[in-house]
Amino acid sequence: MPSLLEIDGFVFETQALKDAFRLAPDLTEYENTAYSEAALRAGIRYFADWGPARTTRLNNSAEASLDNLSPEGRRDLYQTITKRLAENLTQQYHLEVDTTDLRAFFESISQTPPPDSFVTFLIRYLQQTSQRIHEFEEGFQDKATEDCGSNPGRFFEAIRRLPGRYHKVKTDQYEGDESINGVRYLVLQSLTSGETLTSEKLGTLLANENERQDTNIMVGYTQFTVLGQLYFDYYKPRLNIYLEELANYFIGKAEVEDSTAHTVNHSEPRHQLNDFAWIAIHPEDSESQTDAYQLYLGFKSEQLSYGLAIGEDLRQQDSKRVRDIDVASGSNVTAKRIISKFKTVRDSYHTLNDIGGVIEPPEKPEIADVVQRQLEAKKQVVFYGPPGTGKTYEAKRFAEWWIHQQTEAGVSSNQIRSVTFHPSFSYEDFLEGLTADATTSGGVTYRIKSGVLKEIAVDAESALNATDEDATPPPFVLIIDEINRGNLAQIFGEIITLLEADKRGEFDVELAHSGETFTLPPNLYVIGTMNTADQSIALVDTALRRRFRFIDFPPSLDIVFSQYETETSTATEAVSQHYDVVSAHERLLGASILAVETLNERILDAAQLGKGKQIGHTYLLNQKSTADVVDAWRYDILPQLEEYYFGQFTRLRDELLTETNNRLIDWDSERIQAFDASTLYSSLCDLAGIENPAPLPEGAKPIPDGSGSTVQKESAKDAWGTGERTPETFRQRVQQRLDDDSAQKIYRILDAGEELGWLEGGRGETARVMIKSKAIDPTGAPLRIGQDGEIEFEWNYIRNRDSNPLTGEFIDETASAFDEVNGYSHEWDPEAEENREFSKPQLSVSDLSADDITALIDGLQYFIEQADAFEDD
C-alpha cells in the first residue's frame, strides 16, 4: 500500500516520489538551492494528494492550497517539505538524498515539457494504479452476488489508512443520505471508529438499507464498487493531473497538428471504480474522440496499449478502419517508446483525419532500380530470403522513396498500406466480408466491410481519376509481409486474374459478398515478403507465382561493420588484432559475423536445411552494446537454429555447434544457457576457427575447462565476483544464470522487497540477497534469495535473535500467509522439549507460477505489516 507522509497540512505519497526520483537523469543543471515557486508547485502537484484546499472542495488539487498562502508562507513551506521529504527518502528508502538533490529534482519536473524519465514515471504509476485496483477487486470473488471474496480486507484497510481529514470530508458529504451513499456513510463511521469491517458486516449494511428502499439499491453495483469511490476520490485529483500531463506531453512530442485530448480516469464515465484509464488524442475540430482516429494510450491491470485507434462511433461506419496498436507490459514501457510509436502512425493519423501529413522521402535504396523495373513490368514483386535479411525494411524504404519519385503533387501516407498474412487471414480480411451490428431493438443487421486490398484500390482509383490525362498518376503500394504464410488461393479468390499487368483497369470481377464490380487500377502495386525458412518459392501457388517477379535477399554480413564506427575494417581484423583501442563490442561483433558466416556454410550443406534457412545479417544490426549482441544470440539466433532442429538437439550440436561445447546450450537438458559476453565471445571464436583471438577487454582471461575449450571463472566474470556485492550486481548474476522467465520472477520479488523495506547483498562468492524491514530486527530477514533461484525463509534466525521481539507463536501464525504459495509449508512445535526449531521452508523460483509470486509478495507484505503492529504493541 502507498506510504503517506504529512507535512504542514499536506499529505505526500513518498513511494511515488521515490520511484520518480530513481528514474531522474543527471540533475546537475538544476542544482539551485534558492526558492522556486515553480518547483514547490511541481512537488505538491505531482506527489501530494491532500492539502487544506480539499477540506472545502474535495475535487480541488493539493496545489490549490498554495493560493491561500502568502509569498513568505510558500517560501517557508518549500524549505520544510524539501527537508522532510529528503530525510524520508534517505531513512525509509535508503536513497541518500539531500535537500539540494530534491530541490533540483522538483525544479526539473517543473519544466515544460518535463523530462522523458519523469513522463515514464507517470506512465508506470498509472499502470500500477490499474494493477492495484485490479488486485483489490480480485478480493471480491463473486461479483454477481453479495458474497465477498477471500481477501477484501486489503481494500478495507487501504480505505482506513487514508488521512483522517479526508475521512471527515467524505463522512460529511454522505451524512443524511440514503441508499448507496447511506451505506458509504456507515462504512466510514465503522472504519474511523476503529471497528473491523468485514464482508459479512458490509453485506448486512447493504441488506438493511435495501429493505428500507422501494427498489433494489444494488442493481448495477457490487460490494467493490460500493466502496470504490471511498478509495478513489482521495487520489482522483492527482491521477487526473497525471493523465492531463501525459496528454499535453504526447501532443507536443508527437507533433500532431490541431489536436486536443480526452482523458478518462479509473472511475469514469460511470463513477464506478475499475482498472481501466485512457487518453485519446484527436483533432480539435472533431465533435468528440468517438468520431475520429486517435493517438491512444490505455492503462489496464496487465498491460498498456498505445498507437492508432478508431473512435467508437467511427467504428460503426463503413470507414477505412485502420488500426495500429502495440501492447506491452507497463514495467517495460518508456515515454520514448510511446513517442516513437506515435510518430510511426502520425502520418496515418493526419491523413485519416484529413489534417494533412506526409511521408518524408528516404535516400534512394541500392535496390531501387532493380525493384522499379520489375514493378513496372509485372506490377507485383516478392522479396524472398532467409529470416533477418531486411526484406520488410527494404520493402517499406523502397515504397516510401518511390512514391516521392513518382508523385507530382503532395504525397499522402495512404499511398502505402501494410498487411501481414497468417494462416487465419481470409478473403474477408483482404477484399470484403460481412460484419454484424446490434440494433437498438436487440436485432442484428449486416453490412459489408472492406478489406485492406479493396481500401487501397479505391484510394488508388480515386487518385487515378483525379489525374490529368497528360500526367502520371501517383503510385499506391500494398506491402504484404509474410505473403507465403497465408492460404493464397483462398485469400485472393476471384481477383487473382486482375493481378496481371495487362488486365489492370481493363478487366473486372463481381465480388462475392457485395456483388459490386471490382477492378485493380494500374497505379496499384504489390510488394510481398517471404521467409524461405518457412517455405520454398517452388511451393508457392503456381498461378500466383507467375504473376510476381521474385527478388532474392541473401544474407549480406559485409554491411554489418559499415553501420558502426569501428577501429578495424573487417571482422577478422576485429578479433585477431591485439589493439587496445578495439572495444569489447567491436570484437564481439567481429566474432559474431565470422561465426554466422561459418554457420551459414554449414547450413548450406546440412540435410533438410539449405540456403533458405541461413541466418540473416539484420540480427547483428542496431546492436549498440555487448549486452545487445548477447541478447541477439540468446533470444534470436540460437532459438532460430533450435526451431530448425526441433527435437533433434544431437543433430544441432553435431552439424552446427559442436565447438561451443556446453557454453551456449546445455545439451543434456536441451536448453539455451544464460551466458555473458565473455563466454559468447570465446564460443564464437572457437566456432569460427579463430586461432589466438585477441582477448575481450572486459573480465578476466579465459581459463581451460579441461575439454580444450575455454570458459570464464564465475567469480571473475561479473561485478559480484570482483567484490561489488550489491542488489544490483545480484540482479546481473541472476540474469547470467537463470532463464529469462525465472529471472523476471526474481526481479518481481526484489522490486517488492524494495517497496516494503530494503535489499542487502550477501558476502560470499555465491550471490545472495536478503529482503529486510525495520519492522523486523535489521540483522535478520524473512527472505533470502540465491543466485540459482532458491528462496529461503529465515524463521529460526528471526526467532532466536534476542534483539527481535517476534515470538515463535507469532511467526507460526503469521507465516501461514505464505500457505497459498505452491510448495510452501513450515512446522513448529512449541511443546517439543528438545527441538523447538522451525522446519526450514525452501522454494525454487522455477517451480513457482506468476500467481505464486503474487501470493509470495502478498504474504511478505502481510508479515511485515503484522510484525510492525506487533512491535508497536
Side-chain angles (χ1 to χ4, degrees):
M1 295 182 186
S3 181
L4 309 181
L5 177 66
E6 181 176 350
I7 306 174
D8 286 4
F10 292 84
V11 181
F12 292 83
E13 186 190 325
T14 59
Q15 282 180 231
L17 176 58
K18 177 260 297 182
D19 291 341
F21 188 86
R22 277 182 166 171
L23 290 173
D26 181 20
L27 299 171
T28 304
E29 64 178 297
Y30 300 107
E31 287 185 356
N32 182 358
T33 58
Y35 167 66
S36 166
E37 181 166 334
L40 168 65
R41 289 186 174 275
I44 292 176
R45 178 167 64 251
Y46 292 126
F47 302 110
D49 288 293
W50 189 262
R54 296 196 67 189
T55 304
T56 55
R57 188 171 183 271
L58 191 59
N59 285 334
N60 277 341
S61 68
E63 183 188 0
S65 306
L66 296 176
D67 298 337
N68 297 322
L69 295 178
S70 66
E72 293 76 14
R74 291 194 289 270
R75 183 184 296 273
D76 290 344
L77 179 65
Y78 185 64
Q79 309 299 326
T80 301
I81 68 170
T82 52
K83 180 176 182 294
R84 290 280 307 280
L85 288 173
E87 290 173 349
N88 177 270
L89 293 178
T90 300
Q91 295 170 6
Q92 183 174 357
Y93 301 109
H94 311 284
L95 289 183
E96 298 183 1
V97 179
D98 61 26
T99 303
T100 302
D101 296 330
L102 193 60
R103 291 176 182 173
F105 173 65
F106 284 168
E107 185 70 29
S108 73
I109 64 176
S110 71
Q111 308 301 310
T112 303
D116 291 343
S117 61
F118 182 68
V119 178
T120 295
F121 156 74
L122 299 180
I123 295 165
R124 293 178 178 175
Y125 185 90
L126 285 165
Q127 202 274 334
Q128 290 166 5
T129 300
S130 294
Q131 179 66 34
R132 184 162 61 244
I133 292 171
H134 176 74
E135 290 172 354
F136 284 146
E137 187 171 13
E138 281 189 324
F140 297 77
Q141 284 182 338
D142 189 352
K143 293 178 280 186
T145 72
E146 294 184 0
D147 294 332
C148 238
S150 59
N151 191 23
R154 291 185 61 209
F155 193 45
F156 300 154
E157 178 64 11
I159 298 171
R160 187 192 66 79
R161 290 181 58 184
L162 296 175
R165 276 167 290 180
Y166 170 74
H167 287 150
K168 185 178 186 310
V169 171
K170 291 299 286 184
T171 303
D172 292 344
Q173 175 186 346
Y174 294 136
E175 186 174 9
D177 283 355
E178 298 182 346
S179 189
I180 296 296
N181 283 347
V183 174
R184 289 168 173 163
Y185 173 78
L186 296 175
V187 167
L188 284 168
Q189 283 194 319
S190 175
L191 289 172
T192 55
S193 64
E195 297 179 22
T196 300
L197 181 65
T198 65
S199 59
E200 292 77 11
K201 183 172 182 178
L202 177 58
T204 300
L205 293 176
L206 289 167
N208 291 342
E209 183 64 23
N210 212 43
E211 290 181 4
R212 297 179 59 237
Q213 306 298 323
D214 294 333
T215 59
N216 181 6
I217 67 172
M218 287 299 290
V219 172
Y221 282 92
T222 66
Q223 285 197 352
F224 175 72
T225 56
V226 166
L227 301 186
Q229 293 307 111
L230 301 184
Y231 175 78
F232 186 74
D233 281 357
Y234 175 75
Y235 296 100
K236 182 168 66 175
R238 180 162 63 98
L239 293 175
N240 283 343
I241 287 171
Y242 284 12
L243 289 165
E244 292 166 7
E245 187 66 56
L246 287 175
N248 293 332
Y249 174 87
F250 286 122
I251 288 174
K253 287 287 187 174
E255 300 175 353
V256 286
E257 301 174 9
D258 304 323
S259 295
T260 186
H262 180 79
T263 64
V264 172
N265 63 39
H266 295 88
S267 71
E268 295 181 9
R270 295 180 295 116
H271 302 292
Q272 294 199 13
L273 187 60
N274 61 75
D275 67 350
F276 186 34
W278 51 273
I279 299 168
I281 298 171
H282 61 95
E284 290 179 338
D285 59 2
S286 58
E287 291 187 9
S288 76
Q289 82 286 349
T290 63
D291 63 356
Y293 286 88
Q294 314 160 355
L295 296 184
Y296 172 83
L297 172 59
F299 304 90
K300 283 285 284 183
S301 59
E302 297 178 353
Q303 62 191 28
L304 292 179
S305 304
Y306 54 98
L308 182 68
I310 311 165
E312 183 177 356
D313 292 345
L314 195 58
R315 287 199 300 269
Q316 306 303 317
Q317 306 168 18
D318 188 14
S319 64
K320 295 183 176 69
R321 301 179 63 80
V322 175
R323 187 172 183 271
D324 189 351
I325 295 290
D326 285 353
V327 177
S329 165
S331 61
N332 297 327
V333 176
T334 64
K336 290 182 178 180
R337 182 171 171 182
I338 295 177
I339 293 166
S340 177
K341 179 64 178 181
F342 282 170
K343 287 184 176 180
T344 298
V345 299
R346 178 180 56 202
D347 292 322
S348 295
Y349 170 82
H350 282 144
T351 301
L352 293 166
N353 287 311
D354 296 324
I355 53 176
V358 298
I359 300 173
E360 294 297 326
E363 295 181 1
K364 181 179 180 180
E366 292 183 8
I367 62 168
D369 293 336
V370 172
V371 178
Q372 181 173 345
R373 285 201 313 273
Q374 309 317 312
L375 278 178
E376 290 173 348
K378 279 280 193 178
K379 302 291 185 181
Q380 292 88 223
V381 299
V382 168
F383 295 173
Y384 73 98
T389 52
K391 300 178 291 296
T392 302
Y393 171 78
E394 291 295 343
K396 292 179 178 178
R397 199 160 72 103
F398 168 82
E400 291 173 3
W401 170 81
W402 195 45
I403 64 171
H404 275 85
Q405 298 299 311
Q406 302 294 317
T407 304
E408 297 179 1
V411 173
S412 175
S413 59
N414 71 346
Q415 287 179 245
I416 300 175
R417 300 280 179 85
S418 297
V419 66
T420 301
F421 279 5
H422 49 78
S424 61
F425 197 85
S426 66
Y427 173 94
E428 286 73 19
D429 299 313
F430 196 51
L431 275 116
E432 66 173 19
L434 293 177
T435 186
D437 293 323
T439 65
T440 55
S441 62
V444 176
T445 61
Y446 295 91
R447 61 182 172 85
I448 303 298
K449 183 188 74 169
S450 297
V452 63
L453 178 63
K454 185 177 179 183
E455 289 172 356
I456 194 171
V458 169
D459 290 344
E461 189 166 16
S462 297
L464 178 65
N465 294 335
T467 303
D468 295 337
E469 290 186 7
D470 57 346
T472 302
F476 284 69
V477 180
L478 176 62
I479 298 172
I480 304 176
D481 207 17
E482 308 279 5
I483 190 171
N484 54 310
R485 294 191 65 233
N487 184 333
L488 300 182
Q490 187 270 336
I491 292 172
F492 281 90
E494 67 272 15
I495 63 99
I496 192 168
T497 302
L498 304 183
L499 292 173
E500 296 181 20
D502 60 353
K503 293 183 172 61
R504 294 296 187 88
E506 302 294 331
F507 286 78
D508 54 53
V509 297
E510 182 179 296
L511 296 178
H513 293 293
S514 65
E516 294 177 359
T517 298
F518 179 76
T519 187
L520 288 178
N523 60 328
L524 174 59
Y525 302 84
V526 178
I527 301 177
T529 71
M530 172 179 169
N531 268 341
T532 50
D534 299 326
Q535 180 181 357
S536 166
I537 62 171
L539 300 178
V540 175
D541 183 89
T542 303
L544 196 67
R545 182 151 45 94
R546 66 184 179 84
R547 291 174 169 86
F548 282 77
R549 289 275 172 88
F550 285 77
I551 300 175
D552 186 18
F553 272 68
S556 182
L557 291 158
D558 291 340
I559 72 172
V560 174
F561 255 32
S562 65
Q563 185 196 45
Y564 304 96
E565 294 183 6
T566 59
E567 296 293 334
T568 57
S569 57
T570 66
T572 301
E573 188 180 350
V575 299
S576 61
Q577 297 299 324
H578 292 241
Y579 302 144
D580 292 339
V581 292
V582 180
S583 68
H585 176 243
E586 184 173 339
R587 293 203 192 284
L588 191 56
L589 271 178
S592 296
I593 292 169
L594 297 173
V596 169
E597 288 176 343
T598 299
L599 288 171
N600 282 343
E601 292 174 1
R602 295 177 180 180
I603 288 171
L604 277 174
D605 298 332
Q608 302 175 352
L609 295 184
K611 73 172 185 178
K613 289 182 166 57
Q614 290 181 307
I615 300 169
H617 54 276
T618 63
Y619 288 126
L620 300 178
L621 297 178
N622 300 310
Q623 311 300 346
K624 299 178 181 179
S625 67
T626 55
D628 290 342
V629 180
V630 170
D631 286 348
W633 279 93
R634 186 178 178 191
Y635 300 113
D636 287 327
I637 298 174
L638 291 176
Q640 184 73 41
L641 298 178
E642 181 182 358
E643 181 181 337
Y644 291 163
Y645 286 90
F646 182 74
Q648 302 180 63
F649 273 79
T650 300
R651 279 192 60 208
L652 172 60
R653 180 192 61 201
D654 294 345
E655 294 182 8
L656 298 186
L657 299 172
T658 184
E659 295 87 355
T660 65
N661 296 310
N662 278 336
R663 287 171 288 174
L664 305 184
I665 295 179
D666 184 332
W667 301 109
D668 293 331
S669 64
E670 298 186 349
R671 291 180 59 184
I672 296 172
Q673 300 269 42
F675 46 80
D676 64 3
S678 297
T679 303
L680 177 63
Y681 179 71
S682 62
S683 301
L684 299 181
C685 287
D686 289 346
L687 175 64
I690 306 301
E691 297 183 2
N692 189 30
L696 207 62
E698 300 173 343
K701 294 182 179 180
I703 60 172
D705 70 350
S707 64
S709 297
T710 57
V711 296
Q712 288 289 70
K713 192 173 182 180
E714 184 80 70
S715 62
K717 69 183 180 184
D718 62 7
W720 185 283
T722 59
E724 185 184 347
R725 289 163 187 169
T726 66
E728 186 56 38
T729 61
F730 174 78
R731 289 175 185 260
Q732 296 169 9
R733 176 68 68 86
V734 165
Q735 185 179 23
Q736 294 169 4
R737 297 184 65 89
L738 299 182
D739 62 84
D740 191 54
D741 181 59
S742 295
Q744 291 302 319
K745 293 174 187 175
I746 292 290
Y747 297 159
R748 282 187 61 194
I749 301 172
L750 297 180
D751 290 343
E754 289 183 325
E755 296 287 343
L756 299 171
W758 73 94
L759 305 180
E760 185 173 298
R763 299 178 181 177
E765 292 290 327
T766 300
R768 291 188 179 89
V769 155
M770 294 171 285
I771 296 177
K772 295 194 169 187
S773 168
K774 286 185 177 180
I776 305 167
D777 182 356
T779 63
L783 279 188
R784 185 190 303 268
I785 304 175
Q787 64 185 25
D788 293 318
E790 65 275 11
I791 302 171
E792 299 177 349
F793 296 79
E794 298 294 325
W795 303 142
N796 288 316
Y797 187 89
I798 292 173
R799 187 181 69 87
N800 293 330
R801 295 290 297 174
D802 293 337
S803 58
N804 193 333
L806 301 183
T807 65
E809 289 82 1
F810 170 84
I811 296 172
D812 182 42
E813 178 181 355
T814 310
S816 62
F818 295 97
D819 288 346
E820 296 182 15
V821 181
N822 179 41
Y824 176 87
S825 65
H826 73 261
E827 295 180 4
W828 183 67
D829 182 4
E831 305 299 329
E833 295 183 2
E834 296 182 0
N835 183 11
R836 298 182 63 189
E837 295 290 301
F838 281 89
S839 62
K840 190 171 185 179
Q842 185 167 335
L843 306 173
S844 173
V845 73
S846 61
D847 297 330
L848 302 182
S849 67
D851 289 340
D852 289 326
I853 298 299
T854 299
L856 178 68
I857 293 169
D858 289 344
L860 182 62
Q861 178 177 358
Y862 177 78
F863 189 90
I864 291 173
E865 289 174 351
Q866 295 302 309
D868 194 24
F870 182 92
E871 195 170 40
D872 290 340
D873 292 342

